Amino acid sequence: MAWVDLNESVPDLNENVPESSQYRLITDGQEVIVNPPSVGMCFTTGHEFFEFCQLYAFKEGFEMFIKSNKLKKEYKEKGVSKSGVGKYEAKPHMMELIRLKCKKGGVKKGVGSNVTGCKMNIYGVSRYGLFTILTCDLQHNHPLNPDCSRLMVNYRCIDGTTFKRAMINDMGGVSISKNFGTHLIEKGGYENITFNNRDLRNAINVERRSSRFSAADAAGLDAYFKAQRDLHPEFYSSIQVDDDGVFTNAFWSDARSRGTCKYFGDVITFDTTFACNRYRIPFAPFIGVNHHGKSIIFAAALISHENTPSFVWVFEEFLKCMGKAPLGILTDQDKAICRAIELVFPGVRHRLCLWHMLQNASKNLGSLSDWKKIDTLIRTAIHDLIDPDEFDEAWCHVMDEYGLRGPGWMKDAYDNRRQWAPAYNRGKFWAGMSSTQRSEGMNRFFKTHVNLDCGLVLFIHNYEYCMRIKAEEEKQDNFDNIDKPAKIDVDKSVLVEYVLVKTYTSEKFAEVVKERRGLTHTNVTKTSCHGSVVLYRADEKLTSPFWRKRFKSYDVRVDKENGDLHCSCNLFEFTGILCRHIMRAMDVEDFQFVPEKYILQRWMKCVRSYESIRVSYFDPLESIRLGKAKELSQRHNYLSELAMRNDDALRLYKEAMDVVRLKMEDVVGIRKTGEKGDDLICWWDPDARNVFGRRRLRPREFGERARLRDVEPVVDENRIKTPVDKRHTGRAKTKRNAPFGGKAGGNSKNKKVVTEEEVIANEELICNAFGNLPSYRARQQHANHVGGTYAENVPQSSNVHPSQSSQAHPSQLHLSQDYSQSFEFDINDWRTRF
């Protein structure tokens, strides 16, 4: 920075200026004295005049704005205007005159206005090749606040390096508050930071919005898919448009996901409840279970209209991509999805989410006066009665008892019972899944990386990042299974556990161990024998409070010669894990080996072909840029570390960087003042590197309204059009329109604790309702007999609960939604054979 006075008779500008009015700046380690603005002070360009006045206002503690300005003729001829964007935007160095005024000047127009009519102003004009101050009035009619200058809008900005780091943190799932906290700690406090939390939030939102202008969003997504197919032939994608060429649906799957489907694509879940972008297009992933019991994604789709034709198109694309249909698919009760599955996947097992069924029961029957009793009986029939005939009798009894035989939810649910009732689905393999909980869990994972401000292109990049996280988690699990065996004591006396510890992954072997622990509460009794087939009755004491002895009996069939094992609990058929009842029967029959068909390759920790395939979302240009950035970062970190060793190294570093900086400015074409650059501000020119704030280089370039105004009309008829922005559509969740008639935020935290009296009343209700069922009554009598026999062997104590007697309370097992979830067992030993 340099300024001169046109009147040569005027001596040094620092003469006769009070020392208190001068400013001492530290620039490149040297102290520079700066005077306040005065008439006759000259600058090389309007940019230096503007920066000098802004610095003066910052030191004094107030803000200025450009009251009026006038462009130079040569810039007008180039198309520059005050409303221009990018290279056509007006800058201070392009001005012929600039008038700056205090922000509190003008006429007060409202009660909340902070305008005081301040007359402070500075007027400069370009003359004789210099920018000269003609008039200057530095008097204010309001107090100044220099201690809070950094909080004022004019002086808040975010530089490029900080912004890049903030965007990296945002892509990594770091919340904006924590993102701001990292920069706050790095800079050393609020005094050293030039932006606040809201500025960072706005800057990140600006970057999210800018993605939709790169290639009209939908067209950009199509171009991205084409580039991926050119780079990776195994990448599969397809986009559907309507008659007007507007984006409607999209489907894609990378090479690694297609490889996982070959091993674990037998059972999938499909859900469309997550709207992940600004157009409110639901995100519908195809979810499965890998050998670690973790959720994996086979493919994904964006579906704009949740109707049958859209789902038919998505399922047909899934068939084209994978080459085969799954053995089973689990969804919610959406009629359009059900119809599409019938059309595209005929013969494939289709199961409805059990959790949604129970919620719909509460929604449709919750207003009845006897709803609590109905709910108890419904849940008992669903979870306890695993035989189809028993379930049918119990369900019909509830309908007859409470007058629900007519048209309604009970009748519809009974007609569709084969698609959701556990009694009809326990004998089929579902990898332990009874609900779409895995899809909802994956949606929660994606919510940390995407929101309603995301465009289609930004969403696919965030999706790529999430897929890389999932691939790395699976690789870590594979490594831990080899390098870090499960820290579980293996009971070598149990054949199944001894064999599977060497073959199953740690997560699945933990389920085997839970079943083995259940042997302490399980006993088997031989009932009959037919040739090589031996039948057993397995009696299990459920882990519950001791005063409520609960027993359950199952039928076990063992054919040692042919290696056939079966239990009426159907745990192996449902989850692929042998149950405790079969383990006990194998122990009694003295098995020497586990039949091969009961060791599923699906749960083994062997190497699979897809594990060597990387996530094939890859941009070569982005990789080149990241490679350059990595090299520059390594060089800079090494040099800066050396410069901090001593003063001589720091001085040498500064001198060398000054030379390199001037040469690079010449190569890049950055305007500079003098041979050594601008002495008023830091040599790296933060104003040219700011990406957000009043002092950024391109204040209107990222403005959404300006970009929409200046966007050129689409000429190519084959170009995919972007759908309508629907971020601000729809009603807020209230009690009236919230799912299942509940509160908007859910009521999971307000769960009511069931008392002992309520438990006893429910058991009496169940016995009175289902006691007439022959099979139920016979099983109850057997359970009571087992409980009585067991109670005779238990010594009486003063610590026994008052409600306990020698006769056990009749009770049934109330399982959770997924029967594969084992119980936690106590220390009671129940090994005695009857």
Side-chain angles (χ1 to χ4, degrees), residues 320-462:
K320 295 177 184 178
C321 176
M322 303 304 175
K324 65 175 183 178
L327 300 179
I329 182 170
L330 198 151
T331 66
D332 56 15
Q333 287 184 275
D334 190 284
K335 294 182 179 180
I337 297 179
C338 297
R339 178 58 180 165
I341 291 176
E342 293 177 359
L343 296 175
V344 183
F345 299 135
V348 174
R349 301 193 306 268
H350 178 209
R351 188 176 184 186
L352 302 179
C353 176
L354 186 59
W355 184 84
H356 283 95
M357 291 296 302
L358 295 175
Q359 294 299 314
N360 288 337
S362 174
K363 178 180 178 181
N364 291 276
L365 305 177
S367 59
L368 298 178
S369 58
D370 295 328
W371 161 241
K372 290 187 177 180
K373 297 181 180 180
I374 297 174
D375 181 51
T376 301
L377 297 178
I378 286 177
R379 293 180 181 272
T380 302
I382 291 175
H383 296 304
D384 290 2
L385 306 181
I386 59 178
D387 182 74
D389 295 334
E390 291 183 1
F391 173 81
D392 291 347
E393 293 182 20
W395 196 270
C396 292
H397 174 78
V398 175
M399 290 192 295
D400 295 336
E401 181 71 19
Y402 296 96
L404 302 175
R405 272 286 186 178
W409 183 88
M410 288 288 291
K411 182 66 168 56
D412 295 338
Y414 181 73
D415 294 339
N416 298 326
R417 63 190 182 281
R418 296 183 182 274
Q419 288 188 299
W420 61 268
Y424 288 91
N425 292 276
R426 296 289 300 178
K428 305 177 183 65
F429 182 75
W430 287 98
M433 296 186 295
S434 295
S435 66
T436 57
Q437 183 180 2
R438 289 188 178 273
S439 295
E440 295 170 358
M442 190 64 69
N443 291 342
R444 287 193 298 270
F445 171 71
F446 276 102
K447 282 181 181 179
T448 61
H449 303 282
V450 297
N451 53 38
L452 293 181
D453 290 329
C454 284
L456 299 179
V457 177
L458 181 59
F459 166 75
I460 200 66
H461 285 291
N462 292 339

Side-chain angles (χ1 to χ4, degrees), residues 725-740:
D725 189 340
K726 297 182 180 180
R727 283 178 296 169
H728 306 292
T729 60
R731 295 183 298 170
K733 296 298 182 182
T734 61
K735 184 176 181 180
R736 180 175 180 179
N737 65 355
F740 315 120

Side-chain angles (χ1 to χ4, degrees), residues 485-494 497-498 501 509 512-514 516-517:
K487 298 180 179 179
I488 301 176
D489 294 334
V490 180
D491 189 350
K492 296 183 179 180
S493 62
V494 180
E497 184 174 359
Y498 181 71
V501 68
F509 180 70
V512 176
V513 172
K514 286 185 178 181
R516 185 262 297 169
R517 292 173 179 171

Side-chain angles (χ1 to χ4, degrees), residues 620-685:
L621 298 179
E622 183 70 10
S623 297
I624 294 174
R625 187 191 67 81
L626 292 176
K628 294 180 180 179
K630 181 179 179 180
E631 181 181 359
L632 290 175
S633 177
Q634 291 176 346
R635 290 175 178 269
H636 174 71
N637 293 338
Y638 178 70
L639 293 177
S640 60
E641 184 178 352
L642 293 179
M644 294 296 292
R645 295 297 181 92
N646 52 57
D647 295 339
D648 294 336
L650 180 61
R651 178 180 53 79
L652 181 62
Y653 175 79
K654 290 182 178 181
E655 294 176 355
M657 291 303 294
D658 285 337
V659 176
V660 173
R661 184 253 307 181
L662 293 174
K663 292 183 178 180
M664 292 187 67
E665 285 179 346
D666 292 333
V667 174
V668 176
I670 297 179
R671 178 194 55 79
K672 57 183 181 294
T673 304
E675 297 181 355
K676 294 185 178 181
D678 198 338
D679 295 330
L680 179 63
I681 57 178
C682 298
W683 63 264
W684 54 83
D685 193 8

Side-chain angles (χ1 to χ4, degrees), residues 100-357:
L100 299 174
K101 289 195 65 176
C102 177
K103 263 195 171 183
K104 294 190 177 182
V107 181
K108 189 172 184 178
K109 297 182 179 180
V111 178
S113 176
N114 62 350
V115 175
T116 62
C118 181
K119 303 296 183 181
M120 183 271 169
N121 70 90
I122 303 175
Y123 177 67
V125 65
S126 179
R127 289 182 178 180
Y128 310 108
L130 296 175
F131 207 91
T132 310
I133 297 180
L134 295 185
T135 61
C136 181
D137 184 1
L138 304 182
Q139 298 299 322
H140 297 270
N141 64 352
H142 56 87
L144 306 181
N145 194 356
D147 293 335
C148 296
S149 294
R150 61 180 179 83
L151 303 179
M152 299 178 183
V153 177
N154 276 16
Y155 314 116
R156 300 205 307 264
C157 58
I158 303 177
D159 62 272
T161 304
T162 302
F163 179 69
K164 290 179 182 178
R165 189 172 303 144
M167 288 305 302
I168 292 174
N169 292 340
D170 182 66
M171 292 183 63
V174 179
S175 65
I176 294 181
S177 298
K178 294 181 179 179
N179 201 340
F180 177 75
T182 59
H183 296 288
L184 187 65
I185 296 174
E186 181 182 7
K187 300 294 184 181
Y190 288 97
E191 296 79 8
N192 302 322
I193 201 167
T194 58
F195 56 92
N196 56 28
N197 198 329
R198 182 178 297 177
D199 294 334
L200 184 64
R201 185 181 302 275
N202 293 338
I204 292 176
N205 290 335
V206 165
E207 179 65 18
R208 292 171 178 172
R209 289 198 304 267
S210 66
S211 64
R212 56 186 295 233
F213 295 98
S214 58
D217 218 13
L221 181 65
D222 184 41
Y224 182 82
F225 282 160
K226 291 179 180 179
Q228 294 301 323
R229 290 196 300 268
D230 294 339
L231 291 171
H232 309 281
E234 293 296 324
F235 185 92
Y236 184 92
S237 65
S238 180
I239 294 179
Q240 187 183 36
V241 297
D242 59 12
D243 296 337
D244 298 329
V246 180
F247 173 93
T248 55
N249 303 316
F251 176 91
W252 70 95
S253 178
D254 61 273
R256 182 184 177 91
S257 298
R258 297 177 72 181
T260 57
C261 189
K262 295 179 181 179
Y263 291 93
F264 310 112
D266 47 0
V267 179
I268 62 175
T269 66
F270 183 76
D271 183 73
T272 61
T273 58
F274 179 35
C276 61
N277 47 70
R278 64 188 299 123
Y279 314 107
R280 291 191 179 274
I281 300 178
F283 172 60
F286 291 83
I287 307 296
V289 184
N290 66 1
H291 52 304
H292 299 288
K294 304 291 183 64
S295 299
I296 53 175
I297 299 180
F298 302 133
L302 294 173
I303 306 174
S304 59
H305 299 88
E306 297 184 72
N307 51 26
T308 300
S310 296
F311 290 122
V312 167
W313 181 85
V314 170
F315 293 151
E316 288 177 348
E317 292 298 327
F318 181 85
L319 272 180
K320 295 177 184 178
C321 176
M322 303 304 175
K324 65 175 183 178
L327 300 179
I329 182 170
L330 198 151
T331 66
D332 56 15
Q333 287 184 275
D334 190 284
K335 294 182 179 180
I337 297 179
C338 297
R339 178 58 180 165
I341 291 176
E342 293 177 359
L343 296 175
V344 183
F345 299 135
V348 174
R349 301 193 306 268
H350 178 209
R351 188 176 184 186
L352 302 179
C353 176
L354 186 59
W355 184 84
H356 283 95
M357 291 296 302

